[in-house]
Amino acid sequence: MRIDGQCHCGFVTYEAEIDPEAVSICHCTDCQRLTGSPYRVTASIPKDALHLTGNPPKLYTKTAGNGRKRLQYFCPECGAPLFTTGTGEDAATWGIRWGSINQRAALKPTRQIWCRSALDWFGETAALPGAARD
């Protein structure tokens, strides 16, 4: 599936070819902190499938408790998270942050990871009252 996307302000833009089945939810505590929400949704792609079409993102490197490094790319202007990858052999796969994808409504997660960190109310949100606002 061909997609395109951008940060919140439009400073960083990109195009990519993705597998719509490679979309996952991560409940890890790092993703919770980095998003300010209970989980993060990411589309995984081979590194070569991503092409920047605008300005370059800024990089933040997070070293996990196990010593592995995760590279977090975000817009230097608005701070919106955009991509993630690892180092060494982990650098072959990149993650595109679902919220930055223009075609995100067509991309439903197919799996979850780090479920032991999932909040106990995660599956109950459908029962909450809602307002039809965009």
Side-chain angles (χ1 to χ4, degrees), residues 43-102:
S44 296
I45 62 164
K47 178 183 179 182
D48 296 342
L50 176 67
H51 305 285
L52 292 177
T53 57
N55 297 294
K58 187 168 179 162
L59 171 64
Y60 163 70
T61 302
K62 166 68 169 134
T63 303
N66 63 6
R68 291 175 69 187
K69 295 188 183 309
R70 293 297 301 165
L71 293 93
Q72 306 289 335
Y73 291 90
F74 61 96
C75 175
E77 298 295 319
C78 68
L82 296 164
F83 318 113
T84 187
T85 191
T87 58
E89 65 184 43
D90 292 337
T93 301
W94 279 53
I96 300 177
R97 301 311 188 190
W98 181 87
S100 71
I101 300 171
N102 290 330

